[in-house]
Amino acid sequence: MAAAAGTTISDLPDVILSNIIAAVSDVRSRNSAALACRKWCLLERATRAAVSLRGNLRDLFMVPNCFPSVSALDLSLLSPWGHPLSSASDPALIAHVLRHAFPSLSSLTFYARNLSSIQLVASQWRSAEHVKLVRWHQRPQVAAAGDELKMLFFECGRLKSLDLSSFYCWTDDVPPALEAYPSLASNLIRLDILNPSFSEGFKSDEIKAITKSCPNLIEFKAACRFDPRYIGFVGDEALVSVSVNCPKLGVLHLADTSALLNARGDGFTAEDASINVATLIEAFSGLPLLEELVLDICNNVRDSGAAFEVLNSRCPKLRKLKLGFFHGISMPIESKLNGVALCQGLKSLSIRNVGDLDDMGLIGIGRGCCKLAEFKIHGCSKITMRGMRTLASLLRKTLVDVGVSCCSNLPARQCLKALEPIQDRIERLHIDCIWDSGQELEDDSDGVGFDLNCLDQDNGFDDDDDGMSKARKRCKYSYDLNMELDVNSNGYGNSVRTWDKLEYLSLWIAVGQLLTPLVEAGLDHCPNLEEIRIKVEGDCREMSRPREREFGLSMLVNYPKLWKMNLDCSDTIGYAHTAPSGQMDLSLWERFYLIGVGHLNLTELDYWPPQDRDVNQRSLSLPAAGLLQECFGLRKLFIHGTAHEHFMMFLLRITELRDVQLREDYYPAPENDMSTEMRADSCSRFEAALNRRRISD
C-alpha cells in the first residue's frame, strides 16, 4: 500500500506519458508541463512537430535546440518583421544555427524579401517537401521573371508542395520556373497561387501552361481573370485544360482576383462570363476524385443548375463547394429537386451573389444537402427570414457554422431570429451588423417560417423523389414553425435566448455605425464565446463625425469567456494627417473605435488600424496607443501596420504583455524602412525594453 501510495504520474511508461502531454492543446499548459522536470521536458519537446519562431534575429543564443521531432518550421514572423535574413550582420551564422537546431525539416515557411534570402534559407534544407514563401513588400525589380522561384527549385529539388498565396510576385514568374524544372514540376502535388496581390490574375495561357507542367497535382488553387473584356481571360478552353492536364485533382480553387478583395455586393453583374454549362459538365466529368471545389467567377454564369447535377454524379467524393455568380443553382419545380440541391454528400456550401436564389430554392438546398455542417450565403437579396429559418430547421442536427452577409432582406435582427432553431447548437457565426430599426419582424399568423408539414402534400416537395423514406421525413420535419413567436423568446418556450455552443463570432459593420445594438438584436447570452472578429468598412471622409462618443466595445463584457479579438479597421479610409474643416482625421476615428477595449478581459488582440490610401499609410495613432495600454490582461498584441517608437513605449505599461509585433501585411508594404515608424532599431529597442520586465508567471 505504501508503494502504491507513492506512485505518481511520472511512473507511467514514457510512451503513455508522452501521449498524455501531446493531448494538451493549450500552449502555455504544455510549456508548464515541460518545466516540471527534465524527463517531462524531454517528452514534451519530443511531441512538438511544428514550431513558429518569433524572436529577434540578433538573439541567436535564444534559438531553441530542444525540439528534435520538429518537421515544420515557420520563420516568417521573425523580428524585425519583414526584414530579410540576408541583411543581418552574419547571415551565414544565422543559417547555420537554424540548420543545427532543426536538422530534419520537411515543411518550411519564411519571409522571402529578396533572391539572396531564398538562397540562404532554402540551401539549408534541400530535402524540404513543402515550402511557403511570404512577402508583402514589392517584388525586386532587378530579378528577371521566374528567377526567385528558379532559385528555390534549384535548392529544394524534392519539393512536392508550394504555397505562394502570400508572396508578392508577378503572374509571369510562375510558368517559366515550372517549365525550367520539369522533373520537379511533375512531382508537385500541391500548388497554391491564390494570391490577392495579383492585379489581374493568371491568364488562360498561363493556367494551361501551369497545369500542363504539373500533371500530378492533387491540390490546385489559383487567382484568375474571368472577365471577358480583358485579353487572355480564363474561359471554356482553360477550364477544360485543368481537368485534362490534372485528372487527379481533389482540391480545385479558381477565383477571380476581385473576389479575393471581399468586395460587397449582390445579384447580377453587368457582364456574363464566357463559360457555358456544357464546358462545366465536361470539366466536372474529368475530375472524378474532386473533394473540394471553389469557383468564384465574378461574372454571371446563367442556368448553371444542370452542371451541378452532373458534378454530383461524376464527383461522388465532393464534400465542400463554394460558388460565386452561378445563377439557377437551385430552382425546384413543384416536388423535384435540382441543381446543387442534389449534392447530398456536401458538408460545406458557400453561395455568393446568386441573384435568382429565393426562399424555395434555399429550402430545396436544405432538403437535398442534408449533411451540411457549414453554410455561408453572401449577396442573395431574395432570401428572407422565412426561408433561412426553414433551412435552419431542416439542418438542425448537422449545421454548426453559418455566415450571412450582404443579404438585403436579412438584417441582423431578422438573421438571428431565423437561426433560432439551431442557436443552441451553432459554434461559429458571421452576420452583418445592419440595424434596420424601421424593419420589424414579419407579423404573419402562419408564423415566421414555412410550414414544413406542407412539404408532405402533393403540391409541395415530396421526399420520395430524392430517396428519403416517409418515416425519416416525418422525423426530420417535426419542427412546428406555425407557433406564435414572442420576440423575447427563443422559439422553444424559454425566456432567455442562449447561444450555448457559440465559440466564434464574426461581425461586419459599416463605418460610423454602433456595436451596442448587438445584444438587443439577440446575441445577449453567449456563455462560451471565446473569439470575436469585427470588420469595420467604409469611407469616413464622407462623414463629419459619429453620432455617439464610442463604438461600443464595452458591451462585449457580456461575454465572460471572451479572450481573443480581431478588430479590423483596415478598410476604414480617412485622412491620416490633416482633415478639412468639419472632418475627423483617423486618430479621432481610432479613438472612437477603441474606447472601452480596456474593459475587456482579453489576452490576445489583433488590430488593423484605419488607413489613408493616398499615402499608403496604416499607422497607430496617439489616442490608439493610449487606449491599448489600458488592456492590462493582454499577453499578445499584433498591430497590422506601423507605429512610432514613442507610441509603442506606451504598451510597456501592460504588465502581462509578452508578445508584440508590427506587421505591414498589406500590398504593397511600405518600402521606406528608414522612417521613424518602422526602422529595425526602433523595433529592437522596444523588444529589449519589453523583455527586461519581470512578469509574475
Side-chain angles (χ1 to χ4, degrees):
M1 293 296 293
T7 302
T8 65
I9 191 174
S10 295
D11 296 322
L12 290 172
D14 290 354
V15 175
I16 298 177
L17 185 56
S18 63
N19 287 332
I20 293 175
I21 295 176
V24 179
S25 59
D26 181 65
V27 176
R28 293 192 66 201
S29 299
R30 291 278 295 269
N31 289 332
S32 298
L35 296 176
C37 62
R38 182 177 297 276
K39 175 182 177 180
W40 282 39
C41 180
L42 295 175
L43 290 175
E44 193 278 330
R45 296 317 191 205
T47 62
R48 299 288 185 99
V51 167
S52 176
L53 290 187
R54 300 288 306 281
N56 196 297
L57 284 176
R58 64 182 182 177
D59 298 328
L60 282 182
F61 66 93
M62 297 184 67
V63 173
N65 55 8
C66 54
F67 297 101
S69 302
V70 165
S71 59
L73 177 65
D74 187 350
L75 299 174
S76 64
L77 301 178
L78 287 176
S79 182
W81 186 90
H83 286 255
L85 271 67
S86 57
S87 65
S89 57
D90 194 345
L93 176 61
I94 291 176
H96 174 75
V97 171
L98 291 174
R99 168 66 176 173
H100 178 74
F102 306 100
S104 56
L105 293 183
S106 61
S107 177
L108 180 63
T109 302
F110 64 98
Y111 201 101
R113 183 73 177 265
N114 50 36
L115 186 63
S116 58
S117 296
I118 295 177
Q119 183 178 17
L120 176 69
V121 177
S123 61
Q124 302 301 314
W125 293 282
R126 296 178 182 273
S127 60
E129 296 182 351
H130 169 78
V131 170
K132 179 178 180 178
L133 301 182
V134 179
R135 180 170 66 204
W136 299 85
H137 290 82
Q138 288 279 14
R139 175 190 183 277
Q141 300 293 326
V142 295
D147 280 357
E148 294 175 307
L149 295 182
K150 289 177 183 178
M151 175 59 68
L152 174 65
F153 294 164
F154 174 77
E155 298 290 352
C156 301
R158 300 182 183 179
L159 207 60
K160 294 183 179 180
S161 174
L162 178 63
D163 188 343
L164 303 178
S165 59
S166 298
F167 183 64
Y168 194 110
C169 63
W170 297 342
T171 57
D172 54 2
D173 282 328
V174 180
L178 293 173
E179 292 171 352
Y181 289 85
S183 177
L184 183 145
S186 179
N187 289 332
L188 282 179
I189 59 175
R190 293 181 179 86
L191 179 60
D192 188 347
I193 46 178
L194 194 66
N195 195 320
S197 72
F198 296 142
S199 58
E200 297 184 356
F202 288 91
K203 299 179 181 179
S204 177
D205 291 342
E206 292 170 332
I207 291 294
K208 289 188 286 186
I210 291 171
T211 53
K212 185 177 180 180
S213 299
C214 308
N216 294 310
L217 284 179
I218 297 176
E219 180 177 319
F220 180 49
K221 302 178 181 180
C224 307
R225 173 64 77 179
F226 288 99
D227 196 330
R229 295 174 296 179
Y230 289 81
I231 297 175
F233 68 92
V234 173
D236 292 338
E237 185 178 357
L239 277 184
V240 173
S241 70
V242 172
S243 62
V244 172
N245 294 333
C246 303
K248 300 178 182 179
L249 281 176
V251 177
L252 175 61
H253 291 200
L254 298 177
D256 193 273
T257 50
S258 58
L260 302 179
L261 301 178
N262 296 319
R264 295 178 64 83
D266 56 23
F268 295 88
T269 58
E271 296 289 331
D272 287 352
S274 183
I275 296 174
N276 58 56
V277 175
T279 297
L280 292 173
I281 292 175
E282 183 178 356
F284 296 157
S285 300
L287 299 172
L289 303 178
L290 204 59
E291 298 180 12
E292 184 175 321
L293 174 64
V294 173
L295 288 176
D296 207 336
I297 306 298
C298 288
N299 292 95
N300 303 318
V301 180
R302 303 178 187 270
D303 302 321
S304 59
F308 297 106
E309 295 177 9
V310 174
L311 176 66
N312 174 61
S313 61
R314 300 297 175 87
C315 305
K317 295 183 178 181
L318 189 68
R319 295 296 178 265
K320 184 174 182 179
L321 180 63
K322 180 178 179 180
L323 303 174
F325 288 93
F326 283 85
H327 307 291
I329 61 172
S330 178
M331 304 184 71
I333 301 174
E334 294 182 349
S335 62
K336 189 173 181 60
L337 299 177
N338 63 6
V340 171
L342 296 180
C343 298
Q344 299 178 2
L346 285 180
K347 294 184 178 180
S348 174
L349 176 62
S350 179
I351 300 171
R352 197 173 80 89
N353 291 346
V354 179
D356 57 3
L357 183 67
D358 57 13
D359 285 342
M360 298 309 292
L362 191 65
I363 295 173
I365 291 174
R367 293 181 54 235
C369 305
C370 56
K371 298 179 181 179
L372 283 181
E374 177 184 0
F375 179 72
K376 297 183 179 179
I377 189 166
H378 174 104
C380 298
S381 57
K382 292 186 177 182
I383 299 300
T384 70
M385 179 174 61
R386 307 184 82 194
M388 193 67 194
R389 185 181 180 90
T390 308
L391 173 84
S393 298
L394 289 167
L395 299 174
R396 171 169 168 76
K397 294 184 178 180
T398 60
L399 196 59
V400 295
D401 187 348
V402 179
V404 180
S405 54
C406 289
C407 295
S408 55
N409 285 314
L410 273 176
R413 187 182 178 203
Q414 282 75 9
C415 181
L416 294 174
K417 192 70 177 178
L419 295 176
E420 282 182 349
I422 58 172
Q423 72 174 31
D424 60 334
R425 298 179 55 86
I426 193 168
E427 299 173 3
R428 299 175 64 87
L429 173 65
H430 170 84
I431 61 170
D432 288 351
C433 294
I434 298 177
W435 318 122
D436 191 353
S437 58
Q439 181 177 0
E440 299 295 333
L441 294 175
E442 299 179 25
D443 184 12
D444 190 341
S445 60
D446 291 333
V448 294
F450 288 95
D451 182 4
L452 296 183
N453 294 323
C454 75
L455 304 183
D456 295 341
Q457 306 300 323
D458 293 338
N459 60 348
F461 298 121
D462 184 1
D463 284 320
D464 291 340
D465 292 327
D466 56 9
M468 296 179 63
S469 66
K470 292 183 178 180
R472 180 183 176 189
K473 172 175 59 182
R474 285 193 298 271
C475 177
K476 189 171 184 178
Y477 297 156
S478 62
Y479 308 105
D480 182 10
L481 298 184
N482 293 325
M483 65 177 69
E484 290 292 338
L485 292 173
D486 178 27
V487 295
N488 295 319
S489 70
N490 64 1
Y492 298 97
N494 299 328
S495 59
V496 180
R497 304 170 68 177
T498 302
W499 302 76
D500 290 330
K501 295 186 178 181
L502 187 64
E503 298 177 355
Y504 173 87
L505 176 62
S506 173
L507 306 171
W508 177 93
I509 190 166
V511 67
Q513 296 296 310
L514 303 178
L515 188 64
T516 46
L518 186 65
V519 169
E520 182 183 352
L523 280 168
D524 48 349
H525 192 56
C526 305
N528 294 303
L529 183 65
E530 297 180 350
E531 181 179 353
I532 188 169
R533 180 181 180 91
I534 303 173
K535 172 77 171 179
V536 183
E537 183 178 348
D539 193 342
C540 59
R541 295 173 298 185
E542 301 174 356
M543 307 174 62
S544 57
R545 59 185 62 251
R547 302 188 305 270
E548 304 290 340
R549 176 176 175 270
E550 61 180 277
F551 175 52
L553 289 183
S554 300
M555 55 81 57
L556 298 180
V557 298
N558 293 322
Y559 308 136
K561 291 189 178 181
L562 184 65
W563 63 272
K564 181 177 181 179
M565 182 169 71
N566 289 9
L567 181 58
D568 187 352
C569 300
S570 59
D571 286 325
T572 301
I573 306 167
Y575 300 100
H577 301 293
T578 57
S581 178
Q583 299 285 333
M584 293 171 57
D585 63 26
L586 287 179
S587 64
L588 299 178
W589 279 104
E590 275 201 285
R591 182 173 65 183
F592 167 73
Y593 282 111
L594 285 173
I595 286 179
V597 69
H599 298 160
L600 308 179
N601 189 27
L602 298 176
T603 59
E604 186 170 329
L605 173 62
D606 280 67
Y607 176 57
W608 287 258
Q611 63 175 315
D612 186 340
R613 290 181 178 174
D614 293 336
V615 294
N616 190 32
Q617 183 177 23
R618 183 188 297 165
S619 182
L620 193 72
S621 66
L622 175 60
L627 290 167
L628 289 176
Q629 74 174 350
E630 298 176 0
C631 301
F632 297 112
L634 272 186
R635 298 188 66 89
K636 296 183 179 181
L637 174 61
F638 309 122
I639 299 172
H640 300 262
T642 62
H644 291 283
E645 182 179 352
H646 55 286
F647 292 170
M648 294 292 292
M649 292 301 177
F650 287 15
L651 304 178
L652 297 177
R653 301 177 185 177
I654 306 176
T655 56
E656 300 295 326
L657 193 61
R658 296 287 301 272
D659 194 358
V660 183
Q661 193 168 68
L662 297 178
R663 301 178 189 169
E664 307 138 54
D665 49 359
Y666 51 98
Y667 294 113
E671 289 288 344
N672 185 14
D673 289 344
M674 294 306 295
S675 75
T676 58
E677 292 187 56
M678 60 193 86
R679 61 189 181 191
D681 289 343
S682 298
C683 293
S684 297
R685 282 193 294 268
F686 169 76
E687 290 175 352
L690 187 69
N691 293 332
R692 282 196 300 266
R693 301 176 312 147
R694 294 185 63 86
I695 298 178
S696 59
D697 60 350

